[in-house]
Amino acid sequence: MSPSAVAATNGIGIANLPNQRHKIVAKRGTNFTLMVVGESGLGKTTFINTLFTTTIKEKKNQAKRHAKQTEKTVEIEITKAELEEKMFNVKLTVIDTPGFGDYVNNRESWLPIVEFIDDQHESYMRQEQQPLRKEKLDMRVHACLYFIRPTGHTLKPLDIEIMKRLGSRVNLIPVIAKADTLTPKDLETFKRRVREVIAAQNIQVYQCPTESDDETSTKRNMDIMAAMPFAIIGSDEDVIALDGRKVKGRQYSWGIAEVENEDHCDFKKLRALLIRTHMLDLVSTTEETHYENYRQSQMETRKFGEPKPKKLDNPKFKEEEEALRKRFTEQVKQEENRFRQWEQHLIAERDRLNKDLEAEHSHIKTLEAELEQVQAGTSRGRKFFILLKY
Ligand SMILES: Nc1nc2c(ncn2[C@@H]2O[C@H](COP(=O)(O)OP(=O)(O)OP(=O)(O)O)[C@@H](O)[C@H]2O)c(=O)[nH]1
Ligand SMILES: [Mg+2]
């Protein structure tokens, strides 16, 4: 049975593995790395806190994770925790990233995120090339949640650019942030538009495996795909629902938006996909598709064991390139100016000389006329003289 088919079954999937493999996987557990990316202030850090508080029972959480302050995240932050799903041990690593601004020319803020993903593949590949390959440090990202601002319109060019880059590197899962700020009708329209742009722009997003053995899992996978992009609500706060239940949610004057209520958002669906139904599939597609793509593309461009070449995309190089280009344009402009001035000077000089030439011409003409007159006078006088002689 393929890992995809395994993951598609109920539970985390390992219950359906052949017995021996079940034992090995259950004993060793698995590493799962999740990353959140998106514009600043969309609730990435809050989402991570929500995921931890709703997933990890305090007693079991050996990582003793303290909920982070939801201040602006300024650097890539890595948190580890262990969770147990149906006797199955999962070492969960969550990577929180700084949000980028709402303006277009801000490559500097999101390029490090893309580079981080590549670096994990690179580091794993280098470890694989070592003679002793037992204990590998593996932080390859298995799922990357991309937070979309709930504008109600459509995806922005910046979203498209970043999602394209992410989708070719990791299992990209688009989510609509702060779903409580849109009405259900607007949310549905927004979801449809986002899906349309993703298809039109050929953005690669994570697809649940379709080849399932039983009808239930096929239907569930179809339901999951239909919910993409997942609308989510994040909250660290407990609020009291109408029926008196204490739930995670956000309080409003009109009522409350519940994190774990499927009528309010897709948080539960997304959490189930990540840590229950599709975790193994996310891990195996990372290994078989994304890591393999990286390895092959690197093999084509460099020899075995050769270090990675410096990235031209690096913001530092970009800055230098930009400065050089500016200096060059400046110099060309200066040269052009100098040439133009010189040309003007030449034209003025030519005009001046032409005028001088004209003056000289008319002077010559006058002199010629005078000369003619003088010559005419002399010849008449000579005739007279000759006449007198004879
Ligand atoms: N309405 C609403 N507000 C939210 C939600 N999630 C988070 N917030 C609020 O949005 C603000 C920003 O949340 P953060 O979690 O710090 O956002 P972030 O994406 O980590 O921001 P950066 O670290 O700057 O990238 C906080 O005031 C949160 O309380 C949500 O689902 N709905
Ligand atoms: Mg943050």
Side-chain angles (χ1 to χ4, degrees):
M1 194 189 265
S2 78
S4 328
V6 168
T9 51
N10 273 329
I12 198 159
I14 64 154
N16 298 66
L17 286 171
N19 208 20
Q20 240 185 350
R21 179 142 163 75
H22 176 172
K23 274 188 191 148
I24 296 168
V25 176
K27 196 164 154 242
R28 252 195 310 153
T30 193
N31 284 314
F32 183 70
T33 304
L34 173 71
M35 186 187 224
V36 293
V37 179
E39 257 179 48
S40 186
L42 289 187
K44 297 182 292 298
T45 305
T46 311
F47 171 82
I48 293 173
N49 286 340
T50 316
L51 187 70
F52 277 108
T53 49
T54 59
T55 309
I56 300 166
K57 311 271 179 305
E58 214 45 60
K59 290 184 256 77
K60 274 190 192 165
N61 182 9
Q62 291 121 356
K64 293 243 173 6
R65 184 181 187 279
H66 301 289
K68 283 187 280 171
Q69 291 297 307
T70 46
E71 283 160 5
K72 198 173 175 5
T73 311
V74 290
E75 55 181 21
I76 291 180
E77 280 181 31
I78 301 164
T79 313
K80 288 177 187 281
E82 280 194 27
L83 50 125
E84 210 179 287
E85 271 293 315
K86 298 195 173 147
M87 309 282 289
F88 180 71
N89 186 25
V90 178
K91 288 196 179 74
L92 179 66
T93 304
V94 179
I95 303 169
D96 192 4
T97 64
F100 28 85
D102 194 8
Y103 42 95
V104 180
N105 191 16
N106 56 7
R107 296 168 63 87
E108 285 82 354
S109 50
W110 58 265
L111 256 173
I113 297 170
V114 170
E115 280 173 5
F116 179 93
I117 295 170
D118 283 349
D119 286 349
Q120 304 319 308
H121 281 147
E122 174 71 20
S123 144
Y124 191 82
M125 188 175 84
R126 295 198 70 86
Q127 291 177 66
E128 262 201 333
Q129 293 171 350
Q130 300 305 315
L132 288 170
R133 313 191 291 173
K134 261 192 189 155
E135 279 296 309
K136 281 201 279 290
L137 202 74
D138 184 8
M139 253 221 291
R140 291 173 299 173
V141 178
H142 299 119
C144 174
L145 304 185
Y146 185 83
F147 282 61
I148 300 165
R149 186 176 287 280
T151 56
H153 306 299
T154 183
L155 282 181
K156 283 182 280 193
L158 183 66
D159 291 322
I160 297 171
E161 187 179 354
I162 305 173
M163 285 173 85
K164 273 190 178 168
R165 299 214 181 206
L166 291 172
S168 59
R169 289 172 162 84
V170 280
N171 287 319
L172 174 66
I173 302 177
V175 302
I176 293 172
K178 302 186 177 180
D180 52 319
T181 59
L182 291 175
T183 64
K185 199 167 148 272
D186 289 346
L187 184 62
E188 221 19 74
T189 319
F190 188 47
K191 269 192 176 191
R192 201 196 64 236
R193 287 196 192 133
V194 170
R195 272 199 295 267
E196 281 167 5
V197 177
I198 286 174
Q201 293 285 338
N202 275 325
I203 298 171
Q204 241 177 286
V205 293
Y206 173 65
Q207 303 281 331
C208 291
T210 42
E211 14 86 53
S212 293
D213 296 346
D214 62 302
E215 259 178 50
T216 355
S217 44
T218 309
K219 190 185 169 302
R220 194 196 47 211
N221 286 357
M222 278 166 70
D223 281 351
I224 289 176
M225 288 317 289
M228 272 219 210
F230 300 96
I232 53 170
I233 300 172
S235 172
D236 294 336
E237 316 255 308
D238 285 326
V239 290
I240 307 295
L242 269 184
D243 53 11
R245 281 174 304 131
K246 197 167 92 172
V247 292
K248 285 266 170 293
R250 305 187 79 88
Q251 181 92 50
Y252 290 102
S253 54
W254 45 261
I256 64 160
E258 284 179 52
V259 169
E260 293 178 274
N261 185 331
E262 295 214 47
D263 291 335
H264 294 191
C265 72
D266 305 317
F267 178 84
K268 255 177 113 170
K269 271 202 188 91
L270 175 62
R271 187 182 55 191
L273 168 126
L274 292 174
I275 62 174
R276 215 156 292 144
T277 56
H278 289 77
M279 186 183 265
L280 288 185
D281 188 60
L282 287 162
V283 171
S284 62
T285 44
T286 301
E287 178 79 38
E288 288 158 19
T289 312
H290 298 297
Y291 173 64
E292 204 42 42
N293 282 348
Y294 179 84
R295 212 179 57 83
Q296 277 183 15
S297 70
Q298 295 304 311
M299 289 294 156
E300 277 164 20
T301 52
R302 60 183 154 134
K303 294 185 204 91
F304 181 82
E306 197 177 66
K308 199 176 180 187
K310 276 192 177 151
K311 297 162 203 139
L312 287 173
D313 254 1
N314 190 317
K316 250 200 283 174
F317 291 118
K318 281 267 151 204
E319 249 170 49
E320 274 172 28
E321 193 189 318
E322 199 55 41
L324 213 66
R325 190 178 299 134
K326 258 194 194 148
R327 238 180 33 224
F328 178 72
T329 323
E330 214 43 53
Q331 274 177 2
V332 169
K333 249 191 210 155
Q334 273 176 11
E335 280 304 296
E336 264 180 8
N337 265 346
R338 217 167 58 84
F339 179 73
R340 223 160 265 139
Q341 274 172 7
W342 179 61
E343 198 184 18
Q344 291 291 334
H345 176 74
L346 277 185
I347 291 171
E349 188 67 3
R350 189 194 62 194
D351 287 351
R352 194 182 63 75
L353 287 176
N354 272 349
K355 266 191 199 133
D356 280 1
L357 202 64
E358 249 170 52
E360 288 302 320
H361 261 291
S362 58
H363 187 59
I364 291 171
K365 282 248 166 75
T366 349
L367 285 179
E368 270 176 357
E370 267 175 34
L371 187 68
E372 241 169 64
Q373 267 178 8
V374 172
Q375 274 176 345
T378 353
S379 64
R380 236 184 285 134
R382 198 179 290 148
K383 265 185 211 159
F384 180 67
F385 173 75
I386 293 167
L387 273 176
L388 277 180
K389 225 180 155 186
Y390 289 97

